[in-house]
Amino acid sequence: MGSTNMGYQALKKTASGMLMFVLYLCPVLAQQVSLNEINASNSSVIADEDGDYEDWIEIFNYGDEKVNLKGFYLSDDYAKPYMWEFPETIILPGEYLLVWASGKDRTAPDAPLHTNFRISRDGEEVYFTNAGGKRIDEIAPTPIPTDMVYGRHPDGTGSWHYLEHPTPGSANAAHAEDPFLMHYWLFDTDIPNNTPLESLGAFFDFLPGATIEYTSCLPGYPFHEDHENWRKASMERRNMPTAINYRPEGNDDINYANANLRGLQVRSPFEKDQQQNTIVLHLPSTGFENLVVRFAARDEGAADHLLVDYSVDDSSDSWTAEGLDSAELPLQPDYQLYEIDFHEISQTDNNPDFKVRIRFGGEDMHVDDGSRVTFNNISLDGTALKAYYIHSATGGYGNIHPYGFSRVYKNRSKDFLIFPAPNFQVDKVMLDGTDVTGDVYLEDDTYTFTIGNAVADQRLQAFFSMSTDFLEWHEDGLLVYPNPVTERLTIKASEKFHKVRILSLQGSAIHESPAETSYYQVNTTALSEGMYIIVIHFDDQTVSRMIHVVGL
């Protein structure tokens, strides 16, 4: 197998470029290992050596050389990148390494590896740092349901998405292109009976924030038991189950016959003083497209039809039915399946503020006779978007936001804000080695670059230079910094200079270089500690500065 950790013989099988964002210095990391697959809630996929179904992280070597992971780190906390350290572990080209995110903290030779942390299924970052302290891969917080996986396809360098099925220790499966359940409400005996409800969280939610919000037409709702409007114009549990749109995958795969189901009713009156009983489904769809809402509903003498519209922003009064096949859904005395298809409405895709509103229509909605409309098994399905990562970071002389690895979904765009330090300016911006400075725009003292229509992982570089105004104000239009210097001395001038020399205090030449530039850097690590003279030759003058070289 070729690994120091021989406990992985059953789990390791043979089967992007990263970025350092610094001032005029951007080394390319010799990365050939990456995070490849994550299982954040494992109930049945694969058991560890103790027989426990623990979370796991897969590492893949997609390069041509073996890599010793000793001194590399995994973490689930941005503030603590060195949370768990790899022991001596060789991973050969084309090999997969499974690391259990179990919290058991095991690094013994010839045994499976276990981190000292677990991963949350609701979404938690995972960081992979090399022995030099550089973060070489990262996964942004991503909800991963039980026994599903989030991984790269193709292995090592492909984009991130939900995979069709887990493949621990072997090549990843293809992108899960079939729609799957995102949010689901079933109504059971955990909901109190004969109790007016204002909101109801999803029974199953792939993303946080899925909620049913109810507004009654009667002011003062909900009412206490002794109030004259008790259980009027209310949303309550209803003992009326149906198999229509029942989704066992949203109920621990329990079949309908064994499920403890009820229903959800809205009672008359449905209108009062121009106010209406209204259900709003909050359906965050971040990372998904091709959305479909489904539910079962029946009328019990209350309404003729449902009125449906939707919202795609965070306001409470921006509703539309544009693009829907029908905004009016006729009701029947028996349960019917209703389907609202948002495939052609792109604004609902990848939208944390997506909402659907349901109201009620009929001849006389003011009648107060205890009639009702009953709902059941409300669901949202969608198709996962492919995700790509943009890697940006910042050293001195400026900042970038967002920082680090930023997830961008396929064919979506993302803005990056670039903030030079005081007395500096943005000099150049590079995207995967291409100069895109001309696409950076300045507004309200903020530089912005937009990556549009993402189709691959990318690296973003920005270069800062000293502000021309600041240089012209400075003596001789010249800056030599930092001083004292440990590793790299920068020379920045308002005009081009032609030669740079470094002399000892006795006048001996130590370094000399031609330079037709206004910006130059000198590596000082080869110089002994002490004082030196740097001489810069311009067309019409020669300027010298004393510099102090100190050790690291």
Side-chain angles (χ1 to χ4, degrees):
M1 184 181 67
S3 170
T4 303
N5 234 304
M6 298 303 292
Y8 279 116
Q9 285 184 327
L11 299 178
K12 289 179 64 179
K13 303 176 183 178
T14 300
S16 19
M18 310 310 292
L19 160 71
M20 280 287 97
F21 188 120
V22 298
L23 179 64
Y24 284 97
L25 180 65
C26 187
V28 177
L29 298 176
Q31 183 200 349
Q32 60 178 39
V33 288
S34 65
L35 300 172
N36 198 55
E37 188 175 359
I38 304 289
N39 180 204
S41 180
N42 174 20
S43 71
S44 61
V45 174
I46 187 173
D48 69 5
E49 69 275 23
D50 300 328
D52 299 327
Y53 288 91
E54 302 288 1
D55 305 341
W56 47 268
I57 301 166
E58 183 185 79
I59 310 292
F60 179 57
N61 182 351
Y62 61 86
D64 298 324
E65 299 179 2
K66 66 181 181 181
V67 176
N68 187 349
L69 296 179
K70 181 176 175 58
F72 284 56
Y73 296 87
L74 288 172
S75 174
D76 67 344
D77 188 338
Y78 182 83
K80 300 175 182 178
Y82 310 122
M83 183 174 290
W84 183 81
E85 183 177 0
F86 279 88
E88 184 91 16
T89 304
I90 304 297
I91 181 169
L92 297 177
E95 281 191 327
Y96 302 82
L97 172 65
L98 197 71
V99 181
W100 297 99
S102 64
K104 296 178 181 179
D105 193 15
R106 296 176 182 173
T107 57
D110 304 329
L113 298 174
H114 289 255
T115 68
N116 56 0
F117 61 86
R118 299 173 182 269
I119 311 169
S120 169
R121 69 176 291 273
D122 295 327
E124 194 168 30
E125 59 267 25
V126 177
Y127 301 107
F128 187 28
T129 304
N130 71 10
K134 305 296 185 182
R135 187 172 301 143
I136 59 172
D137 208 353
E138 173 180 343
I139 298 176
T142 303
I144 307 174
T146 299
D147 291 339
M148 286 194 64
V149 288
Y150 193 59
R152 293 184 182 275
H153 190 269
D155 293 314
T157 58
S159 60
W160 286 92
H161 38 241
Y162 299 102
L163 304 179
E164 287 185 351
H165 54 82
T167 57
S170 60
N172 285 348
H175 173 218
E177 297 182 351
D178 292 335
F180 61 89
L181 187 63
M182 296 169 57
H183 306 302
Y184 179 53
W185 285 266
L186 63 75
F187 309 105
D188 59 13
T189 54
D190 287 342
I191 301 171
N193 202 19
N194 299 329
T195 302
L197 303 170
E198 295 180 272
S199 63
L200 200 59
F203 186 87
F204 167 89
D205 58 349
F206 187 77
L207 301 171
T211 305
I212 295 176
E213 177 186 7
Y214 178 70
T215 302
S216 172
C217 69
L218 298 180
Y221 176 88
F223 306 104
H224 59 78
E225 191 171 354
D226 297 326
H227 196 281
E228 63 178 350
N229 287 332
W230 168 247
R231 300 190 65 198
K232 293 180 182 291
S234 62
M235 181 176 76
E236 305 174 13
R237 193 186 95 186
R238 171 86 165 107
N239 297 329
M240 185 67 67
T242 180
I244 295 174
N245 202 44
Y246 174 65
R247 305 292 295 274
E249 68 268 37
N251 190 24
D252 295 327
D253 290 322
I254 298 173
N255 64 39
Y256 175 74
N258 296 323
N260 183 26
L261 301 179
R262 296 296 185 265
L264 187 74
Q265 63 178 325
V266 176
R267 297 170 60 95
S268 64
F270 284 82
E271 291 185 14
K272 176 76 171 181
D273 297 332
Q274 298 184 330
Q275 299 300 312
Q276 297 176 290
N277 294 349
T278 303
I279 289 175
V280 174
L281 307 176
H282 293 260
L283 302 167
S285 64
T286 305
F288 289 84
E289 61 183 349
N290 302 327
L291 308 178
V292 180
V293 174
R294 296 183 179 90
F295 57 87
R298 58 178 289 179
D299 171 58
E300 298 181 61
D304 295 332
H305 54 266
L306 302 175
L307 302 170
V308 176
D309 49 15
Y310 65 94
S311 175
V312 292
D313 59 39
D314 59 0
S315 69
S316 59
D317 57 359
S318 176
W319 298 95
T320 181
E322 184 177 356
L324 294 180
D325 291 337
S326 176
E328 188 173 301
L329 306 178
L331 285 165
Q332 301 293 333
D334 297 321
Y335 272 124
Q336 306 292 319
L337 176 64
Y338 296 89
E339 181 174 290
I340 310 171
D341 193 335
F342 292 90
H343 274 69
E344 302 301 322
I345 306 175
S346 61
Q347 299 96 320
T348 65
D349 299 342
N350 191 35
N351 190 328
D353 299 313
F354 174 47
K355 299 180 286 291
V356 172
R357 182 172 66 169
I358 302 174
R359 294 169 295 162
F360 305 85
E363 290 185 7
D364 186 0
M365 305 308 292
H366 297 82
V367 172
D368 179 9
D369 59 0
S371 58
R372 54 201 160 197
V373 174
T374 302
F375 296 87
N376 229 313
N377 300 325
I378 301 172
S379 65
L380 176 69
D381 290 80
T383 303
L385 287 164
K386 289 186 177 181
Y388 303 101
Y389 282 85
I390 312 301
H391 187 196
S392 61
T394 183
Y397 312 109
N399 294 292
I400 188 168
H401 179 80
Y403 172 87
F405 289 78
S406 302
R407 181 172 56 211
V408 184
Y409 292 103
K410 182 181 179 181
N411 296 326
R412 281 12 181 217
S413 62
K414 193 172 191 69
D415 289 340
F416 289 82
L417 307 181
I418 303 170
F419 305 97
N423 303 319
F424 282 79
Q425 62 190 10
V426 174
D427 189 66
K428 184 181 292 186
V429 176
M430 307 288 287
L431 181 65
D432 285 341
T434 300
D435 189 339
V436 292
T437 310
D439 296 324
V440 177
Y441 62 92
L442 177 63
E443 183 175 345
D444 298 330
D445 298 322
T446 300
Y447 293 89
T448 302
F449 176 73
T450 301
I451 291 180
N453 299 320
V455 294
D457 292 346
Q458 293 178 290
R459 61 173 183 251
L460 182 65
Q461 304 166 256
F463 303 104
F464 300 105
S465 62
M466 193 66 68
S467 165
T468 303
D469 292 341
F470 182 71
L471 283 169
E472 290 177 349
W473 170 82
H474 209 272
E475 181 185 2
D476 300 318
L478 175 70
L479 276 177
V480 179
Y481 62 93
N483 193 7
V485 59
T486 55
E487 296 181 87
R488 186 170 295 274
L489 186 72
T490 298
I491 305 163
K492 178 65 179 175
S494 57
E495 299 178 2
K496 280 188 177 182
F497 46 88
H498 308 293
K499 184 166 61 175
V500 174
R501 293 191 298 153
I502 297 179
L503 310 178
S504 69
L505 294 183
Q506 292 74 35
S508 301
I510 297 173
H511 172 89
E512 182 172 323
S513 178
E516 290 291 334
T517 184
S518 60
Y519 176 88
Y520 189 76
Q521 285 189 319
V522 180
N523 188 333
T524 60
T525 55
L527 299 179
S528 301
E529 293 189 31
M531 303 300 295
Y532 296 86
I533 300 169
I534 187 163
V535 182
I536 300 99
H537 296 262
F538 294 86
D539 279 338
D540 55 356
Q541 64 174 333
T542 299
V543 179
S544 61
R545 294 280 192 274
M546 190 79 73
I547 60 171
H548 184 194
V549 176
V550 296
L552 292 173

